[in-house]
Amino acid sequence: MAAGAHENWSSRAAFIFAAVGSAVGLGNIWKFPYEAGEGGGGAFVLLYLIFVFGIGVPVMIAELALGRRGQLSPPNAVAKVASESGRPHAWGLIGWAGIIGAFIVLSFYSVIAGITMSYMANTLTGALANVDAAASSEHFGELASSPWALIGWSAAFSLITVFVVARGIHGGLEKAVTLLMPILFVLLAGLVVYSLTIGDASAALEFLFRPKWEDLTGDTVVQALGQAFFSLSLGLGTMLVYGSYIPRDVSIPRSAIIIAAADTGVALLAGLAIFPIVFQYGMEPAQSFGLVFNVLPVAFAQMPGGIIVGTGFFLLLVVAAVTSSISLLEPMAAFLEEKTAFTRRSAAVTAGVGAFVLGIGSALSFNAWSDVKFLKGTVLDNLDFLTNNLIMPLGGLFIAVMMGWAVKREFSRDELHSITNGQFALWRFMVRYVCPVALTLIFLAFAGVINF
Ligand code: TRP
């Protein structure tokens, strides 16, 4: 592509697919249901909805608008918009923190997604066909204790991510998401119907939607806000770089609302796919990692057509993970392509291989290095803490503050041209006051807490 030219998504739909694909990931499908379960069920769900639409959507609008205004990879886009507003270049640090944070998240995301691929393969071949609870945990234990298995599967997953990103916006990302997102929705809808039919639907509905306010703690509030942020892919440059590809005539606020609604819809559907089975087979709902990897194979082993349903479920997770991981590689790849002599292909390969190599540290945290502990725990614990608890909330906070206070008002007004003056005033009030206060609170509450 010609030097200096900046690619755009080929349509509004392509952008929405890509952004929904980024948002919907491992976070929605195993983390959301379990956190909902631990946090008072319906009470957590209600809070989560308030945070997604009250805080997540304004920050997403800010991040997308900042990206589109900047028209460059995150560090340069942010620095450019800052200097055009007469502000210091140092604002560009937001973009730097973002590409580094996304790179780190990608490194361990690939390890977990690799585990999911291994479960897909083992369900398909029948290796998990007759497991009971003990055999299933043993299977997970064996996988986790094998560095080569974890590293090998993570390599396989990383290859897919690199392959897609190397092919660029049109040939790679757009093609992948327009193919994979419909598959994901069909698989998920099929599983929900199946699960509600054969499982304990009423227990699941009650668990997810009847608020038990007495179980609600301050921790849950913080947790719900953090989950809303992670789930919407905010604060790490993903939405900055995806925003830089949005054509001028696409309404950013409308898109953000659609993305948030789809992301939330998938999280709720994932709950409806998982919990009827959990209750039907008398399983413990509150176990994060275990819920998907230890518990569900037992249910699939007992259920009629379990091999197909189980393979479909893990395929769903892999698909969701791929459309998220490409959005984690893209910020760094776009930066390398822009600032170095690398072609897009070598930029994607370099960043992808780098993330894979860093991910080895996370894979070894389950086995050979499980005793190597410093600061917050294992290598994986530290990388998770650094991104989830520090870079993400701070990134979101500074994006809100920058768009609310530092960037010229006319720039934001121009990017958000499709909304009324009243709507624009409301958005500005949110990013100037409400979001910074809420994000400062979550940041302070998260500091010092491990949560993976
Ligand atoms: N939202 C994705 C999920 O729920 C993960 C993700 C992709 C992400 N890109 C991101 C999280 C950027 C934070 C920032 O699994």
Side-chain angles (χ1 to χ4, degrees):
M1 143 189 152
H6 192 82
E7 279 191 286
N8 271 349
W9 303 110
S10 47
S11 65
R12 189 181 86 116
F15 158 61
I16 301 268
F17 268 126
V20 171
S22 167
V24 173
L26 296 172
N28 300 55
I29 299 181
W30 61 260
K31 206 170 174 205
F32 171 81
Y34 134 80
E35 288 199 344
E38 283 214 319
F44 176 94
V45 174
L46 194 60
L47 274 176
Y48 174 80
L49 289 173
I50 293 170
F51 291 149
V52 163
F53 290 97
I55 297 166
V57 169
V59 170
M60 186 186 289
I61 293 172
E63 196 170 335
L64 291 171
L66 184 55
R68 184 163 73 182
R69 172 84 208 177
Q71 288 294 303
L72 292 168
S73 70
N76 299 323
V78 179
K80 179 177 148 200
V81 177
S83 37
E84 284 174 0
S85 301
R87 306 288 177 176
H89 242 73
W91 280 102
L93 286 173
I94 296 176
W96 277 106
I99 60 171
I100 292 165
F103 179 80
I104 295 172
V105 170
L106 177 63
S107 76
F108 57 79
Y109 207 83
S110 300
V111 174
I112 298 165
I115 295 177
T116 309
M117 282 177 83
S118 135
Y119 268 78
M120 186 181 82
N122 282 314
T123 309
L124 182 65
T125 60
L128 284 162
N130 295 309
V131 292
D132 57 14
S136 176
S137 340
E138 199 180 313
H139 179 91
F140 182 72
E142 265 171 32
L143 178 65
S145 68
S146 160
W148 290 114
L150 292 188
I151 293 169
W153 283 109
S154 164
F157 183 82
S158 303
L159 267 179
I160 302 176
T161 308
V162 168
F163 179 79
V164 174
V165 174
R167 299 176 69 91
I169 306 300
H170 299 298
L173 278 71
E174 272 184 23
K175 277 222 176 87
V177 293
T178 43
L179 173 75
L180 295 178
M181 290 313 286
I183 295 180
L184 185 136
F185 283 114
V186 170
L187 282 173
L188 185 58
L191 263 165
V192 169
V193 171
Y194 187 84
S195 174
L196 288 173
T197 318
I198 70 137
D200 189 341
S202 62
L205 289 170
E206 167 149 350
F207 182 72
L208 278 172
F209 296 115
R210 215 209 64 193
K212 284 181 245 113
W213 296 109
E214 64 277 12
D215 292 350
L216 193 65
T217 63
D219 251 16
T220 311
V221 180
V222 172
Q223 207 68 7
L225 189 53
Q227 173 64 13
F229 233 64
F230 183 83
S231 191
L232 294 172
S233 297
L234 298 177
L236 294 187
T238 284
M239 291 300 167
L240 279 176
V241 77
Y242 276 23
S244 76
Y245 306 135
I246 306 177
R248 275 292 301 165
D249 59 339
V250 171
S251 164
I252 286 177
R254 254 189 79 190
S255 305
I257 290 169
I258 295 172
I259 296 160
D263 185 58
T264 308
V266 169
L268 295 176
L269 285 175
L272 289 177
I274 292 169
F275 284 114
I277 298 175
V278 168
F279 291 116
Q280 181 69 25
Y281 292 99
M283 291 158 178
E284 170 56 48
Q287 36 179 325
S288 66
F289 229 93
L291 192 61
V292 166
F293 297 120
N294 280 335
V295 175
L296 286 182
V298 182
F300 296 141
Q302 293 178 30
M303 112 190 2
I307 290 197
I308 295 169
V309 178
T311 307
F313 177 81
F314 288 115
L315 174 66
L316 171 97
L317 266 173
V318 174
V319 167
V322 170
T323 58
S324 295
S325 65
I326 56 180
S327 80
L328 288 163
L329 182 56
E330 181 60 26
M332 181 72 88
F335 176 74
L336 290 178
E337 188 190 4
E338 184 178 285
K339 287 306 276 188
T340 66
F342 286 148
T343 59
R344 163 154 282 262
R345 231 175 100 196
S346 35
V349 171
T350 307
V353 169
F356 164 71
V357 171
L358 180 62
I360 293 175
S362 295
L364 295 179
S365 299
F366 287 100
N367 38 68
W369 290 0
S370 59
D371 292 332
V372 179
K373 296 217 167 109
F374 53 99
L375 301 172
K376 297 293 169 189
T378 61
V379 173
L380 175 59
D381 293 333
N382 279 291
L383 295 179
D384 178 50
F385 181 85
L386 180 65
T387 48
N388 225 0
N389 298 12
L390 297 177
I391 301 180
M392 265 174 54
L394 282 179
L397 172 64
F398 281 108
I399 285 167
V401 170
M402 178 168 170
M403 287 302 272
W405 298 91
V407 170
K408 279 193 182 144
R409 185 183 175 283
E410 65 194 76
F411 289 177
S412 332
R413 188 66 188 105
D414 186 41
E415 288 306 327
L416 308 182
H417 53 74
S418 63
I419 54 177
T420 65
N421 286 335
Q423 290 164 334
F424 180 72
L426 173 65
W427 169 77
R428 236 172 106 78
F429 176 76
M430 298 304 286
V431 292
R432 279 166 86 86
Y433 304 102
V434 180
C435 301
V437 169
L439 286 165
T440 305
L441 290 179
I442 178 189
F443 174 70
L444 293 177
F446 250 12
V449 180
I450 301 244
N451 158 43
F452 188 67

